[in-house]
Amino acid sequence: MLLRTKLHGKTYEFPDLRLLMGKANEEKSGDRLAGVAADTTAERAAAKFVLAEVPLWALRQNPAAPYESDEITRVIQDAVNETIYNEIKDWTVGQFREWLLADTTSGEMIRRLSSGLTAEIIAAVAKLMSNLDLIYGASKIRVSTHCNNTIGLPGTLSSRNQPNHPTDSPEGIRASIYEGLSYGSGDSVIGINPVDDSYSSVARLLEMTYDIIKTWAIPTQNCVLSHVTTQMKCLQNGVPVGLVFQSLAGSQKGNESFGISVGMIDEANALAKKYCFPSGPNFMYFETGQGSELSADAHHGWDQLVMEARCYGFAKRYSPYQVNTVVGFIGPEYLYDARQIQRAGLEDHFMGKLTGIPMGCDACYTNHARADQNAIENLAVMLTAAGCNYFMGLPLGDDSMLSYQATSYHDAPALRQLFKLRPAPEFEKWMEDLGLMKNGVLTGIAGDPTFFLRR
């Protein structure tokens, strides 16, 4: 296939799809580190022009990692609905983009088509979209799921209650949980990143959060974001687990660096269906983030956007309850500044929804990145407009254990008011029954964690 074009009198030729895809990507420090970024804005424009004429079948035939040696490629390729794929395989990437953005193309039409796509196809079309395109395209697609409650419904925005603590103190975590609940944070999950990944510590935190859920009859679920094997041991020993968590990579080698495999996640999913306490049917929680494969030298020479799309193809296998990209957590080596973080967040959300998974975002940054809280709030506003399922909720937006900045307990209520959205319906009813919310608006007693100590 000839991958060449002439722009302003200069000929640009790309040796293969791998480099074409990298150079068509918006500027990312990680792609430059990997040696696949465009050298100039003109070269990036030329790459986009060439990519727009590539047929979808060519992208399917050239996965980022070989089918024979990479189990993530096999998961993605084997899941393709061949009937739907054959309907669209001769479209170009540019034609696919125009179809997605057409006013006559509905979310239901896109959801049907998603079963005929591979990750490389999804990444390619994202590269041709502006930020507004990514927002508009994603806004058409709704993916709702149910565990102990329902998230992702039209007109709703959920929030993960993230009460991390630098010593895993149950008392400190409990206080943070109550503060988050008082603001309406926790309808996606009460999810703790533990300092101590041991079975005894993880089990203790699961028991404590389950006690809160049961005592207050909260329509939500708990999760301790330890390694999946620790959570599997908890399930096997009768510890109350709501969601089973794991970070994912987009290649077999990347997942090996996390200490996981497809077989292991298959086993965890089976245990979750058997032992998790909510009614389900969706029990898995996955997190991803552009650059993780490059940091593990597991990217096979491809750009980080393509590898991120492959994470979503892997996640889809398990019909998860929720997935989110921890977009700014990996650091400036991969996403240098606020502009790159914002672009990646919009890309990831769009690609996740186009894949057909329930997508949220940890709109965040580390303190050595060129970003600030205003930039993250801007991203949260854009993602809410795009139909993002949920954000993180942290005390004051500052994670005292992971030492990074994200969205606060206050942000979800503000975004709900701005966009006329509600919490998950079961959670909203619970808040109204307690007097913390009325007609979708927080009441005067909301925001005070001591409310849960006085009852």
Side-chain angles (χ1 to χ4, degrees):
M1 179 182 295
L2 189 62
L3 303 172
R4 183 171 65 194
T5 191
K6 193 171 185 178
L7 186 65
H8 298 301
K10 182 176 180 179
T11 298
Y12 295 88
E13 185 166 355
F14 307 92
D16 53 31
L17 281 172
R18 178 185 66 85
L19 273 177
L20 175 67
M21 290 277 273
K23 291 179 180 293
N25 207 20
E26 291 299 304
E27 177 70 18
K28 308 277 176 63
S29 53
D31 292 339
R32 195 155 299 285
L33 183 65
V36 296
D39 292 327
T40 64
T41 301
E43 186 182 30
R44 181 177 299 109
K48 289 177 185 286
F49 186 85
V50 173
L51 181 60
E53 299 302 317
V54 171
L56 302 188
W57 61 259
L59 292 161
R60 186 181 184 191
Q61 290 181 10
N62 290 274
Y67 183 93
E68 297 73 21
S69 60
D70 189 277
E71 63 180 1
I72 304 306
T73 298
R74 293 194 290 274
V75 164
I76 293 168
Q77 295 278 357
D78 293 350
V80 171
N81 182 312
E82 298 294 343
T83 299
I84 294 175
Y85 169 72
N86 285 324
E87 294 175 9
I88 62 171
K89 66 180 182 180
D90 292 323
W91 290 6
T92 65
V93 179
Q95 288 172 326
F96 184 32
R97 173 189 176 275
E98 294 303 308
W99 181 84
L100 287 168
L101 297 177
D103 290 341
T104 53
T105 301
S106 67
E108 291 75 19
M109 294 164 67
I110 296 172
R111 287 293 305 276
R112 175 184 177 274
L113 202 74
S114 69
S115 64
L117 304 175
T118 67
E120 288 76 13
I121 293 172
I122 290 168
V125 75
K127 293 170 186 290
L128 298 187
M129 295 207 171
S130 69
N131 286 5
L132 183 57
D133 293 339
L134 293 169
I135 293 169
Y136 176 61
S139 72
K140 296 184 177 188
I141 310 167
R142 302 301 310 196
V143 184
S144 63
T145 52
H146 186 275
C147 188
N148 225 16
N149 60 3
T150 311
I151 65 170
L153 293 170
T156 67
L157 175 66
S158 295
S159 172
R160 168 185 160 189
N161 190 323
Q162 184 172 313
N164 296 344
H165 192 278
T167 65
D168 284 346
S169 163
E171 295 79 12
I173 291 172
R174 187 185 292 268
S176 290
I177 290 172
Y178 286 154
E179 182 184 12
L181 290 172
S182 73
Y183 279 109
S185 176
D187 53 336
S188 89
V189 66
I190 299 173
I192 304 164
N193 296 89
V195 175
D196 183 352
D197 195 59
S198 68
Y199 167 78
S200 60
S201 179
V202 171
R204 178 185 63 175
L205 294 178
L206 285 167
E207 294 279 7
M208 183 268 289
T209 50
Y210 181 74
D211 177 68
I212 292 174
I213 290 170
K214 285 301 179 182
T215 298
W216 290 92
I218 309 171
T220 190
Q221 39 282 320
N222 64 351
C223 184
V224 176
L225 285 70
S226 64
H227 193 270
V228 68
T229 52
T230 307
Q231 297 165 80
M232 291 164 70
K233 185 176 180 180
C234 289
L235 286 167
Q236 291 165 330
N237 285 280
V239 178
V241 178
L243 291 176
V244 174
F245 166 83
Q246 181 55 47
S247 295
L248 301 182
S251 69
Q252 180 173 330
K253 185 179 179 182
N255 285 307
E256 287 169 353
S257 74
F258 289 152
I260 64 169
S261 65
V262 172
M264 183 183 290
I265 304 303
D266 285 350
E267 182 182 356
N269 188 46
L271 286 171
K273 289 180 178 179
K274 186 174 182 180
Y275 295 117
C276 280
F277 70 81
S279 59
N282 309 109
F283 297 105
M284 302 301 286
Y285 173 16
F286 299 121
E287 286 187 344
T288 67
Q290 287 191 34
S292 61
E293 297 82 10
L294 176 58
S295 69
D297 191 25
H299 62 302
H300 296 275
W302 285 69
D303 67 272
Q304 56 194 38
L305 182 62
V306 168
M307 301 310 295
E308 179 72 6
R310 289 167 58 89
C311 296
Y312 306 144
F314 181 21
K316 186 178 181 179
R317 177 181 179 90
Y318 305 102
S319 300
Y321 175 74
Q322 59 183 40
V323 181
N324 69 263
T325 169
V326 193
V327 65
F329 186 74
I330 197 165
E333 299 87 352
Y334 306 95
L335 297 170
Y336 181 69
D337 57 15
R339 181 172 61 86
Q340 293 186 17
I341 292 170
Q342 289 168 350
R343 173 69 188 189
L346 296 176
E347 290 169 340
D348 295 352
H349 176 256
F350 168 80
M351 293 193 302
K353 288 288 181 68
L354 184 53
T355 301
I357 59 176
M359 200 67 193
C361 183
D362 190 347
C364 62
Y365 67 99
T366 55
N367 288 311
H368 63 311
R370 289 182 177 269
D372 59 20
Q373 206 66 27
N374 284 331
I376 293 309
E377 290 178 6
N378 290 345
L379 175 57
V381 169
M382 290 188 285
L383 283 168
T384 305
C388 191
N389 279 18
Y390 70 103
F391 295 109
M392 306 303 114
L394 284 68
L396 300 177
D398 180 21
D399 194 302
S400 61
M401 191 278 281
L402 292 172
S403 296
Y404 82 116
Q405 315 303 311
T407 42
S408 74
Y409 289 145
H410 308 71
D411 291 340
L415 291 165
R416 287 168 181 156
Q417 289 303 300
L418 181 62
F419 286 91
K420 310 302 180 187
L421 302 173
R422 302 288 186 94
E426 304 93 334
F427 196 85
E428 180 180 357
K429 182 179 184 305
W430 172 79
M431 291 191 70
E432 288 213 343
D433 289 345
L434 288 182
L436 294 170
M437 178 172 278
K438 185 175 182 180
N439 297 323
V441 179
L442 293 176
T443 65
I445 64 172
D448 180 2
T450 63
F451 170 87
F452 292 94
L453 304 178
R454 300 194 300 267
R455 297 291 289 266

